[in-house]
């Protein structure tokens, strides 16, 4: 089963303790001056558990980042209309009955914001989470970049039918030479790739150093930044467009295209096109590689309310609180119902647990009755947008197991139950 990416191994969720037992504050992670050696979090152990429970909310203290400015305007208000969701019950995909509070504990919650028709109906933080605390979004980053790419397509600055090499000639290689921008957007590149991060031989292991998520060992001789890494990152394996293959570095290829087409760094483009005009409350940040390129596969950090604001912006077809941010066609493209061909291409991939789903523009399409779409990140990050129920759910977490397979059986029924309760 292909999975979302991390360059590091994961812990066994059954042996590491519950969310309450591994709370970083209760356990003294990074407390003291200096912290005791066994309580320190550094880059080399930041994605291990339980250190992740601290590092996900403090990534800027561990690795270089680039600011996504919120600008100087006032933050867009999020009215409050609190609702008691404690009575929401779910039947998990494994057949267990679970109450709302139990679901939050079981998914190692760092923060949850639920919007209904633009108002905050639920907001809670645990562990190192907080309303002003940026949290690493992991693969939710991909969807941010996909949104920017679609915006440039609507503006006419990118042709998604064009070959990748029109924008990035450096990718004139066996894997990408005949690939289109659409192949990158929808991850239908024919390449041999594994994101099984428990496998020391998986290709995703090669991503860590060039992306800046792992330090170079003394004997390391490979690529040291993304532009050096991407042309040879994967081996060609068949014909493009036939199957969905989840490959994290494809989002960095897409970012390279977006930067070349726009003429602006990714952080500046996101600030100018989305973060500032939508009225974000806080600056956001991109992890950067050794030459300052934003890491588009996993490297975005932001505050949770701002991620919810972005979801509401998309739900409202490019407007927030009466402020037009981008063309409604961007949202039409993101929410467009999947075709039979798109479903077939997705089914030909390795995500059998997500029946009837599809993938387009770096977003996951549930293809459910509500037309919900979602951005998903390892260790439990999510932005879930249900246009029919007028619900946006933004979640940060720090689970002991990276793959979403570890929480989907709880999270997917939970999102639906919240939407049903509010609608």
């Amino acid at each position: 089963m292909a999975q979302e990416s991390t360059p590091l191994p994961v812990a066994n969720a059954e042996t590491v303790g519950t969310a309450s037992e591994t709370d970083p504050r209760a356990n003294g992670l990074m407390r003291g001056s200096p912290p005791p050696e066994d309580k320190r979090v550094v880059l080399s152990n930041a994605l291990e558990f339980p250190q992740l429970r601290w590092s996900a909310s403090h990534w800027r203290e561990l690795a270089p980042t680039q600011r996504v400015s919120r600008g100087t305007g006032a933050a867009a208000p999020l009215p409050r209309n609190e609702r008691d969701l404690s009575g929401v019950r779910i039947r998990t995909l494994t057949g267990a009955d679970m109450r709302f509070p139990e679901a939050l504990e079981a998914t190692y919650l760092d923060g949850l914001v639920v919007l209904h028709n633009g108002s905050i109906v639920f907001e809670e933080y645990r562990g190192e989470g907080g309303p002003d605390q940026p949290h690493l979004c992991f693969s939710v980053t991909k969807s941010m970049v996909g949104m920017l790419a679609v915006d440039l397509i609507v503006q006419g600055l990118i042709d998604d039918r064009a070959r990748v090499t029109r924008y990035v000639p450096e990718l004139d290689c066996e894997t990408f030479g005949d690939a289109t921008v659409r192949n990158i957007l929808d991850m239908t590149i024919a390449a041999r790739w594994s994101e099984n991060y428990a496998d020391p031989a998986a290709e995703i292991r090669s991503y860590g150093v060039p992306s800046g998520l792992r330090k170079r060992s003394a004997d390391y001789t490979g690529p040291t930044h993304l532009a050096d890494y991407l042309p040879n990152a994967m081996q060609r394996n068949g014909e493009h467009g036939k199957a969905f293959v989840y490959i994290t570095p494809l989002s960095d290829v897409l970012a390279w295209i977006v930067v070349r087409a726009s003429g602006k760094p990714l952080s500046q483009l996101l600030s100018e096109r989305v973060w500032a005009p939508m009225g974000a409350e806080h600056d956001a940040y991109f992890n950067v590689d050794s030459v300052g390129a934003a890491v588009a596969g996993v490297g975005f950090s932001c505050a949770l309310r701002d991620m919810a604001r972005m979801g509401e912006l998309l739900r409202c077809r490019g407007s927030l609180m009466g402020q037009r941010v981008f063309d409604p066609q961007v949202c039409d493209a993101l929410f467009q119902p999947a075709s039979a061909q798109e479903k077939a291409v997705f089914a030909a991939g390795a995500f059998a647990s997500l029946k009837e789903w599809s993938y387009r523009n770096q977003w996951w399409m549930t293809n459910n009755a509500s037309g919900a779409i979602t951005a998903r990140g390892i260790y439990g990050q999510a932005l879930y947008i249900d246009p029919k129920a007028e619900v946006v759910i933004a979640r940060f977490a720090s689970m002991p197991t990276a793959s979403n397979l570890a929480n989907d059986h709880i999270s997917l029924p939970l999102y639906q139950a919240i939407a049903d309760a509010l609608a």
Side-chain angles (χ1 to χ4, degrees), residues 29-310:
L29 280 181
M30 293 298 285
R31 298 302 194 270
S33 180
E37 189 169 350
D38 65 339
K39 300 295 185 181
R40 294 176 192 171
V41 182
V42 294
L43 188 60
S44 60
N45 68 8
L47 296 184
E48 297 174 4
F49 195 88
Q51 291 88 345
L52 175 74
R53 303 224 60 207
W54 184 88
S55 64
S57 296
H58 295 272
W59 199 255
R60 295 187 62 225
E61 298 164 46
L62 301 169
T65 58
Q66 198 172 75
R67 183 171 69 112
V68 178
S69 172
R70 64 166 297 277
T72 58
L78 289 176
R80 304 193 77 90
N81 183 21
E82 304 278 353
R83 294 279 297 273
D84 182 6
L85 299 181
S86 61
V88 171
R89 301 184 70 93
I90 66 168
R91 173 64 65 90
T92 71
L93 299 182
T94 56
D97 290 318
M98 187 173 285
R99 297 183 300 111
F100 181 77
E102 295 171 331
L104 302 190
E105 172 75 6
T107 51
Y108 292 77
L109 186 74
D110 292 332
L112 182 69
V113 169
V114 179
L115 304 183
H116 182 228
N117 199 22
S119 296
I120 295 177
V121 297
F122 184 87
E123 182 175 18
E124 183 173 327
Y125 300 94
R126 299 181 182 181
E128 290 290 317
D132 302 325
Q133 187 69 43
H135 191 287
L136 191 58
C137 296
F138 292 103
S139 291
V140 171
T141 309
K142 296 175 170 69
S143 300
M144 308 287 178
V145 179
M147 174 185 63
L148 290 175
V150 172
D151 183 39
L152 294 181
I153 291 169
V154 169
Q155 292 183 57
L157 296 178
I158 291 178
D159 180 355
D160 64 337
R161 300 163 299 178
R163 290 191 175 184
V164 170
T165 51
R166 175 190 292 188
Y167 305 98
V168 187
E170 294 93 327
L171 291 173
D172 188 8
C173 56
E174 181 181 8
T175 300
F176 297 114
D178 62 342
T180 66
V181 175
R182 177 53 52 189
N183 292 142
I184 304 297
L185 274 162
D186 299 347
M187 293 205 183
T188 57
I189 290 290
R192 185 176 294 107
W193 187 265
S194 170
E195 300 220 2
N196 180 1
Y197 15 77
D199 178 5
E203 285 84 355
I204 188 60
R205 293 300 187 109
S206 66
Y207 182 70
V209 170
S211 66
L213 294 180
R214 296 184 73 180
K215 287 188 175 181
R216 282 180 255 172
S217 62
D219 58 350
Y220 181 80
T221 59
T224 58
H225 56 84
L226 290 168
D228 189 25
Y229 167 72
L230 292 172
N232 301 300
M234 60 206 72
Q235 293 184 344
R236 180 70 176 262
N237 183 26
E239 183 181 351
H240 298 320
K242 299 300 183 182
F244 169 66
V245 184
Y246 190 85
I247 302 176
T248 284
L250 292 184
S251 301
D252 296 290
V253 171
L254 182 62
W256 205 351
I257 295 168
V258 164
V259 169
R260 285 283 175 85
S262 67
K264 296 177 180 179
L266 201 62
S267 55
Q268 180 183 349
L269 186 66
L270 181 60
S271 171
E272 293 178 354
R273 294 299 300 159
V274 180
W275 220 246
M278 82 170 183
E281 194 172 348
H282 300 284
D283 291 339
Y285 306 91
F286 275 108
N287 221 69
V288 293
D289 69 8
S290 62
V291 295
V295 179
V298 296
F300 187 70
S301 297
C302 68
L304 190 58
R305 284 183 198 153
D306 286 332
M307 192 160 80
R309 280 184 176 90
M310 201 198 73

Side-chain angles (χ1 to χ4, degrees), residues 115 117-118 308-317 319-320 392:
L115 304 183
N117 199 22
R309 280 184 176 90
M310 201 198 73
E312 183 69 6
L313 173 67
L314 296 180
R315 186 188 74 79
C316 295
R317 300 187 69 237
S319 292
L320 190 63
V392 172

